[in-house]
Amino acid sequence: MALPINIEDLLNKRKVESNRIEFKASWNPDKIYHTICAFATDLENTGGGYILIGVEEENGIAKRPVKGIKESEIDQILKDMVGYDAKISPAYLCKVSPEEIDGRTILVIWAPAGINRSYSVMESVVTKKSIPKFYVRSKSSTIEAKGEILDEVRELANRVPFDERGNDSISIDDISGIRVYEYLKAIGSKLMDDFGHRSLSETLDEMDLLVGPVENRQIKNVAAMMFCDHPERFFPVTQVDIVHFPEGSIENPDIMIEVPKITGPVPKMINETLSYLRTNVIKQLGCSV
């Protein structure tokens, strides 16, 4: 897996806030998974973070050359992480990348903010009997969430509406530039004037349809709902079902007309639904709109 940022920028804490980077001289699964959980929960909405294993630090600065990790250790770590990942709830998978630096190999764990926050992890991922706990970042450290902080962490799930959450399953290629342009034209947005002179990503950013740090911008769910030709790929059963009872659902419920399901982006579904109602329902009732 390729990292979204240059490894030297991480080691030198450039382009990424220092509290989003943690150096570990060696593999310590319990502490590392506490930090993964804290980055995934992302209480401060900074965009998650990175853990560099095989890197010693001194006064917050990475010591060079890096300490590194043996190849045999990396293979075992990757195998162990398959089981440890299952101890995070709800389900969450961090991204792992071995990186060559200073002639040695280090392991970089990238833990972006999760889309189902908040997350807990077993206090000890290496033992069979343990209890789940919540963890957060406090400045450049990982701490257990307790008291008011724990209450705030538990409220995260209710804080961000589903349509406003970033979704790493959606790529820019899934968004129809034509639909975005037609929407901007319909509402008379000034963004339409520069539409052909900027990238689609820049336009979506201006529309507040991207979320996350600069190195890992995610498209919000609402963007796919509005501008993806087939949003049902990401949101199953995204459709409008219409059942018409010509003689009334109470008077004669056995006679009904099932209209073919209406699918597509939200504006298309709304327009087609209203069109059907105007043509096949309202006119039959002798009404006008």
Side-chain angles (χ1 to χ4, degrees):
M1 181 222 73
L3 294 172
I5 189 170
N6 183 276
I7 185 65
E8 285 290 349
D9 287 337
L10 284 177
L11 287 167
N12 292 287
K13 295 185 175 179
R14 296 191 301 253
K15 299 182 180 180
V16 175
E17 298 89 339
S18 60
N19 64 337
R20 295 180 55 214
I21 303 173
E22 187 158 303
F23 300 131
K24 294 289 187 184
S26 57
W27 173 242
N28 184 329
D30 284 342
K31 290 187 177 296
I32 287 171
Y33 266 82
H34 295 172
T35 298
I36 290 173
C37 184
F39 281 143
T41 293
D42 193 25
L43 182 62
E44 299 299 326
N45 293 311
T46 57
Y50 302 84
I51 306 169
L52 282 68
I53 305 170
V55 179
E56 297 177 294
E57 68 172 326
E58 188 172 4
N59 298 322
I61 305 298
K63 294 179 66 173
R64 306 292 292 269
V66 298
K67 178 182 178 182
I69 309 176
K70 296 179 181 179
E71 291 288 345
S72 58
E73 288 185 68
I74 290 179
D75 290 340
Q76 188 58 51
I77 289 172
L78 295 177
K79 291 178 182 177
D80 291 340
M81 288 185 72
V82 174
Y84 300 155
D85 287 344
K87 298 190 177 184
I88 299 177
S89 180
Y92 174 87
L93 291 177
C94 55
K95 307 173 194 309
V96 188
S97 177
E99 298 285 332
E100 295 293 329
I101 192 76
D102 298 339
R104 299 170 186 176
T105 302
I106 66 172
L107 197 63
V108 180
I109 298 176
W110 173 30
I115 62 175
N116 295 311
R117 301 183 295 168
S118 56
Y119 294 88
S120 65
V121 68
M122 293 299 174
E123 183 177 22
S124 174
V125 296
V126 299
T127 59
K128 291 185 177 180
K129 292 184 178 180
S130 186
I131 58 174
K133 290 189 175 183
F134 294 90
Y135 297 88
V136 296
R137 294 291 286 177
S138 176
K139 298 182 174 61
S140 296
S141 301
T142 296
I143 62 171
E144 181 186 345
K146 297 180 179 179
E148 292 182 0
I149 295 178
L150 179 57
D151 293 338
E152 189 175 356
V153 166
R154 286 173 169 161
E155 281 295 316
L156 277 176
N158 302 322
R159 187 179 302 174
V160 182
F162 177 78
D163 55 351
E164 284 292 307
R165 297 177 191 172
N167 190 330
D168 57 10
S169 297
I170 305 169
S171 74
I172 195 66
D173 294 332
D174 296 315
I175 305 300
S176 168
I178 294 175
R179 292 192 182 278
V180 174
Y181 179 80
E182 289 176 344
Y183 171 79
L184 295 175
K185 184 177 180 179
I187 65 173
S189 171
K190 292 183 178 180
L191 289 175
M192 182 185 65
D193 300 336
D194 297 325
F195 189 83
H197 303 289
R198 61 174 66 192
S199 68
L200 183 55
S201 292
E202 291 174 313
T203 299
L204 293 179
D205 204 8
E206 288 286 337
M207 296 170 70
D208 193 29
L209 292 176
L210 301 183
V211 68
V214 292
E215 83 278 8
N216 182 38
R217 300 293 272 163
Q218 292 184 346
I219 298 173
K220 291 182 179 180
N221 284 324
V222 66
M225 294 175 185
M226 293 287 291
F227 307 121
C228 177
D229 288 329
H230 299 285
E232 66 274 7
R233 290 169 49 202
F234 310 106
F235 318 111
V237 201
T238 302
Q239 62 192 51
V240 175
D241 294 305
I242 300 176
V243 178
H244 182 206
F245 296 90
E247 299 180 10
S249 60
I250 297 177
E251 292 79 0
N252 197 341
D254 294 328
I255 298 179
M256 63 181 181
I257 300 172
E258 292 189 48
V259 179
K261 65 182 180 181
I262 299 172
T263 61
V266 170
K268 175 176 176 288
M269 288 194 295
I270 291 174
N271 289 334
E272 291 187 7
T273 300
L274 291 176
S275 177
Y276 177 86
L277 294 176
R278 290 190 187 101
T279 304
N280 299 283
V281 178
I282 296 176
K283 286 187 177 180
Q284 288 180 18
L285 295 173
C287 302
S288 60
V289 292

